[in-house]
């Protein structure tokens, strides 16, 4: 059992030190990819409207503007293509990044319960190499496979207060929980002659955080929002064994909206995440960097189809991903020391989306398409993220 615990702890480093062989991806380094915790509506505006959107889980204050009880579900598959000097690889990841419920309580208070993907880490890498076997200097080509399934999720309970459209405030409590199921296999081509091996482990995560958000609308045409999340300890365990601990990243954001143009809303947002606080839980050779996240967009009333007014959206987003790409060591290291010469991974996205009311406005469907371009060193990654969000008011 102790051997399994040790294997689970070390398997994290194996898949990422292989220079993105086969099915690796820049966006899945370290502890995983930050989905942003945006709804499909906010994604369609480049995240610009996220701090004013009750279904985006970045600020609890937005809950006060929801209007009526609602349930929300979102599905967001991503299709990636990674290009390196040695070739290209294509991968697909299916995500269900957000589920939320909102319940107004009287005239002034609103309660929200939600679960969203904080860091997604689902991947599979494959590497072929020549392995000496036996005592006769025989060699065989074996396949090493590293498969990781899992994520760290953010479960939030929040409450918001507002007694006028001018001012809203909200607080939230967060439990970050989840696991990574890790399988490392060594597969021989001739199973009758050689026995393939496989190791499996599971790493669980648990931590707590608190958030605060404020909205202020001095007039009907302009609004401001600020929000913050203070992180507590995040523990990684395998069974009863503590593998390590870190701090959940502190998060701060500020946003503005302008509605002075009839039928349109222009929004912009800037946020900062202290991802470096997760460095002690990252894989060997993978650094975590503090990062800025900026986005802006517009949504406007579009064409009328079957007596329904379609909302159209467009936006752009620019950010640095939390975990770097492990480059070669340029300085000698002590025996047993890890190389920390990682390069930052940048991500630039263009987005567009639609909002469609359904069943006499008791439900609505939001759709967004993002084209994300990521790069580091000589690696380029292109991703297309489709998001389908369904909101239902009982």
């Amino acid at each position: 059992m102790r051997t399994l615990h040790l294997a689970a702890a070390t398997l994290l480093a194996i898949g990422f030190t292989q220079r993105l062989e086969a099915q690796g991806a820049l966006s899945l380094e370290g502890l995983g990819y930050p989905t942003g915790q945006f709804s499909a509506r906010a994604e369609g505006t480049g995240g610009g409207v996220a701090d004013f959107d009750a279904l985006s889980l970045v600020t609890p204050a937005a809950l006060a503007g929801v209007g009526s009880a609602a349930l929300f579900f979102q599905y967001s598959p991503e299709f990636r293509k990674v290009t390196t000097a040695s070739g290209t690889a294509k991968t697909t990841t299916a995500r269900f990044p957000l589920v939320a419920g909102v319940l107004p309580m009287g005239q002034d208070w609103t309660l929200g319960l939600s679960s969203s993907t904080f860091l997604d880490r689902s991947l599979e890498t494959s590497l072929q190499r020549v392995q000496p076997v036996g005592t006769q200097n025989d060699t065989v080509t074996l396949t090493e496979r590293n498969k990781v399934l899992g994520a760290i999720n953010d479960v939030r309970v929040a409450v918001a207060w507002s007694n006028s459209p001018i001012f809203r405030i909200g607080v939230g409590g967060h439990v970050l929980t989840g696991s990574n199921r890790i399988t490392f296999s060594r597969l021989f081509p001739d199973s009758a002659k050689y026995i393939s091996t496989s190791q499996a482990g599971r790493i669980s995560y648990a931590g707590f955080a608190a958030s605060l958000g404020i909205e202020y609308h001095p007039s009907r045409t302009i609004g401001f929002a600020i929000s913050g999340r203070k992180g507590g300890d995040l523990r990684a365990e395998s069974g009863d064994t503590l593998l390590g601990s870190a701090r959940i990243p502190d998060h701060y954001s500020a946003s503005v909206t302008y509605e002075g143009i009839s039928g349109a809303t222009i929004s912009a947002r800037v946020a900062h995440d202290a991802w470096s606080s997760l460095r002690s839980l990252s894989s060997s050779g993978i650094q975590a960097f503090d990062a800025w996240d900026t986005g802006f967009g517009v949504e406007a009333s579009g064409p009328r189809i079957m007596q329904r007014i379609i909302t159209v959206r467009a936006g752009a987003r620019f950010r640095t991903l939390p975990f770097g790409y492990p480059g070669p060591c340029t300085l000698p290291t002590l025996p047993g020391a890890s190389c920390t010469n990682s390069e930052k991974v940048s991500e630039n996205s263009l987005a567009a989306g639609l909002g469609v009311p359904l069943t006499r406005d008791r439900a609505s469907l939001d759709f967004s398409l993002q084209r994300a371009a990521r790069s580091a060193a000589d690696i380029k990654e292109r991703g297309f993220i489709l998001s389908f969000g369904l909101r239902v008011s009982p």
Side-chain angles (χ1 to χ4, degrees):
M1 182 63 69
R2 187 173 181 83
T3 302
L4 179 60
H5 290 164
L6 181 60
T10 56
L11 280 176
L12 278 174
I14 295 174
F16 296 108
T17 56
Q18 298 295 345
R19 301 288 296 185
L20 294 176
E21 292 287 345
Q23 295 180 334
L26 285 175
S27 54
L28 296 175
E29 296 287 359
L31 296 178
Y33 178 72
T35 62
Q37 301 173 278
F38 293 168
S39 71
R41 175 199 173 197
E43 288 178 346
T45 63
V49 77
D51 282 339
F52 300 90
D53 178 26
L55 302 178
S56 294
L57 306 182
V58 294
T59 174
L63 290 172
V66 73
S68 61
L71 297 174
F72 183 76
F73 307 90
Q74 186 162 314
Y75 171 57
S76 301
E78 178 177 0
F79 306 90
R80 287 185 301 268
K81 179 180 179 181
V82 183
T83 303
T84 69
S86 58
T88 62
K90 296 182 179 181
T91 63
T92 301
T93 299
R95 299 187 179 107
F96 296 87
L98 201 159
V99 56
V102 183
L103 179 64
M105 301 183 299
Q107 296 294 322
D108 301 335
W109 296 89
T110 306
L111 175 69
L113 177 63
S114 60
S115 177
S116 60
T117 301
F118 184 66
L119 289 169
D120 175 70
R121 192 161 184 262
S122 299
L123 63 97
E124 182 174 353
T125 62
S126 180
L127 172 67
Q128 288 189 334
R129 66 181 182 86
V130 176
Q131 172 72 33
V133 293
T135 58
Q136 304 298 322
N137 294 324
D138 292 337
T139 60
V140 64
T141 300
L142 62 82
T143 300
E144 292 185 340
R145 229 171 246 176
N146 181 35
K147 184 177 182 180
V148 182
L149 292 175
I152 300 176
N153 298 309
D154 180 356
V155 180
R156 187 190 75 174
V157 177
V159 62
W161 175 88
S162 176
N163 64 356
S164 75
I166 297 176
F167 181 80
R168 297 167 181 164
I169 186 171
V171 295
H174 304 250
V175 177
L176 274 76
T177 182
S179 64
N180 287 163
R181 297 183 299 276
I182 306 164
T183 306
F184 179 65
S185 305
R186 303 179 73 187
L187 307 175
F188 290 90
D190 188 350
S191 59
K193 192 174 181 180
Y194 305 105
I195 299 176
S196 299
T197 62
S198 179
Q199 287 180 297
R202 177 172 177 166
I203 300 177
S204 300
Y205 300 93
F208 301 91
S211 61
L212 171 69
I214 297 174
E215 275 187 49
Y216 177 56
H217 298 261
S219 71
R220 293 184 178 179
T221 61
I222 195 166
F224 302 94
I226 58 173
S227 66
R229 182 191 64 233
K230 184 65 178 178
D233 291 335
L234 179 67
R235 295 165 56 91
E237 298 178 342
S238 177
D240 296 329
T241 302
L242 176 65
L243 302 179
S245 63
R247 297 285 294 181
I248 296 171
D250 292 342
H251 166 87
Y252 305 98
S253 67
S255 301
V256 60
T257 62
Y258 176 72
E259 301 180 48
I261 303 174
S262 178
T265 300
I266 301 172
S267 57
R269 178 177 184 266
V270 60
H272 183 267
D273 293 276
W275 294 109
S276 61
S277 65
L278 292 174
R279 188 171 297 166
S280 60
L281 286 183
S282 182
S283 309
S284 176
I286 305 291
Q287 283 184 277
F289 299 96
D290 294 346
W292 289 96
D293 182 351
T294 59
F296 60 88
V298 60
E299 58 180 350
S301 299
R304 182 184 294 270
I305 300 177
M306 298 179 63
Q307 305 302 314
R308 295 181 174 89
I309 299 177
I310 307 301
T311 302
V312 295
R313 306 180 179 108
R317 186 182 184 191
F318 311 92
R319 63 173 175 165
T320 299
L321 297 186
F323 301 100
Y325 171 70
C329 286
T330 57
L331 296 174
T333 58
L334 296 175
S338 62
C339 174
T340 56
N341 184 29
S342 294
E343 298 191 34
K344 292 183 178 181
V345 179
S346 62
E347 180 185 75
N348 301 324
S349 303
L350 296 177
L354 298 172
V356 183
L358 305 173
T359 61
R360 298 180 181 178
D361 295 332
R362 302 294 294 178
S364 63
L365 176 66
D366 291 309
F367 166 76
S368 70
L369 169 63
Q370 300 176 75
R371 183 186 185 277
R374 305 162 187 136
S375 62
D378 58 346
I379 311 296
K380 295 185 182 299
E381 179 177 320
R382 300 292 181 266
F384 287 92
I385 304 173
L386 306 178
S387 290
F388 305 86
L390 177 64
R391 170 180 168 169
V392 178
S393 295

